[in-house]
Amino acid sequence: MISKTENEIKNLRTGGKLLARVLRELSAMVEPGITTASLDIAAEKIIREGGGVPAFLNYLPEGGAYPFPATLCISLNDEVVHGIPSTERVLKNGDMISLDLGLSYNGYFVDSARTLCVGEGDATAQKLIEATKEATMAGIKAARVGNRVGDIGAAIEEVAKKYHFEVVEDLGGHAVGKEVHETPYIPNEGVPGTGPKLQEGLVIAIEPMLAEGKGAITLMEDEWTYRMRDKKRCAHVEHTIIITKKGPEILTA
């Protein structure tokens, strides 16, 4: 989706600020003993009070088995994305938790994710999270007019290699705007100078996922949650940006 009008950009910026606020408030709630369902309830409440609409609740992608039953995707430890909140899932000290959330504001979608430790995280967990944050910023920096999708993936992959982590296979970012997922697909690895050219006004969600083990994933029995096949931990960080003449603008900062 190419956003060109001031009104479109205004709605995306407003939605991005709301989404960033929701994730900040949810992050402050994360502590041992809280259920993932309580985080989900809070996410929907804050989004609606802010004038937004949850993007993932009842979302059914092409080929999906059933609509996603929650507002917030919560993935723990070796789970990568699309974890379903539950009253039976209680956070424990040392868990790694990914909060992945999308919303629409006046019909325009934004998407963001962050990973953090519950209570006290070990040194490897902290390193993995910081590396994934750095990979996200490297990918964003490469998202400039005239560059290509492969430049984003190459920048992310370079950071993963620097810290000796693996890029999670088969998952990546995407354009966003008038739909939850739009083209082009934004892989987290690639060859510089390849792929679709990045244009002014393109809105994309850049979302590196890095793993401490190998990169292979598997789909769990709930038909939504992806987890690492080797059961090693992973981290997920995501921002929605708009590509401008002056460079990438982070809408969900």
Side-chain angles (χ1 to χ4, degrees):
M1 172 253 186
I2 303 296
S3 294
K4 294 181 178 178
T5 71
E6 285 299 318
N7 183 60
E8 288 175 322
I9 293 172
K10 179 181 178 181
N11 282 308
L12 287 161
R13 284 176 175 152
T14 302
K17 288 178 181 178
L18 174 59
L19 181 50
R21 178 169 68 83
V22 178
L23 283 174
R24 283 197 303 271
E25 294 189 25
L26 293 177
S27 297
M29 294 175 61
V30 170
E31 61 181 17
I34 195 170
T35 67
T36 58
S38 62
L39 292 170
D40 178 62
I41 292 169
E44 181 175 4
K45 181 175 184 291
I46 301 167
I47 288 172
R48 295 194 187 279
E49 287 178 347
V53 177
F56 301 159
L57 182 62
N58 296 320
Y59 175 63
L60 180 62
E62 184 177 352
Y66 60 95
F68 191 74
T71 292
L72 178 66
C73 296
I74 304 180
S75 306
L76 299 178
N77 301 315
D78 65 328
E79 297 169 358
V80 190
V81 288
H82 308 159
I84 300 173
S86 167
T87 56
E88 298 178 358
R89 303 203 76 184
V90 180
L91 301 186
K92 302 187 298 294
N93 186 61
D95 279 342
M96 285 180 64
I97 180 172
S98 166
L99 306 173
D100 185 4
L101 186 62
L103 62 82
S104 67
Y105 187 85
N106 286 342
Y108 293 90
F109 290 85
V110 286
D111 196 354
S112 187
R114 58 177 60 184
T115 300
L116 55 154
C117 291
V118 179
E120 298 179 4
D122 61 76
T124 302
Q126 295 289 358
K127 180 183 176 183
L128 179 57
I129 291 170
E130 291 304 314
T132 309
K133 289 179 181 178
E134 185 176 325
T136 305
M137 296 311 297
I140 290 171
K141 187 177 180 180
R144 295 183 173 275
V145 175
N147 277 4
R148 294 182 178 272
V149 165
D151 294 305
I152 298 175
I156 292 168
E157 187 177 8
E158 183 178 353
V159 174
K161 289 180 178 178
K162 182 173 78 169
Y163 290 100
H164 305 290
F165 292 123
E166 289 293 328
V167 172
V168 173
E169 297 176 355
D170 303 325
L171 298 172
H174 51 92
V176 65
K178 290 186 176 178
E179 301 289 342
V180 177
H181 293 96
E182 298 180 355
T183 55
Y185 170 72
I186 312 293
N188 290 323
E189 50 193 349
V191 177
T194 64
K197 185 173 285 189
L198 303 175
Q199 304 174 46
E200 180 185 356
L202 181 65
V203 181
I204 54 176
I206 294 177
E207 50 178 321
M209 288 154 265
L210 304 186
E212 62 180 354
K214 297 180 180 179
I217 59 174
T218 186
L219 183 63
M220 294 174 63
E221 290 183 0
D222 64 17
E223 298 191 75
W224 270 104
T225 309
Y226 282 97
R227 76 187 314 166
M228 303 309 303
R229 191 172 297 169
D230 59 11
K231 299 186 179 180
K232 299 288 187 178
R233 297 175 300 183
C234 54
H236 176 206
V237 177
E238 176 183 20
H239 278 301
T240 296
I241 70 166
I242 182 170
I243 299 174
T244 75
K245 287 181 180 179
K246 296 180 180 179
E249 175 187 339
I250 303 176
L251 300 173
T252 52

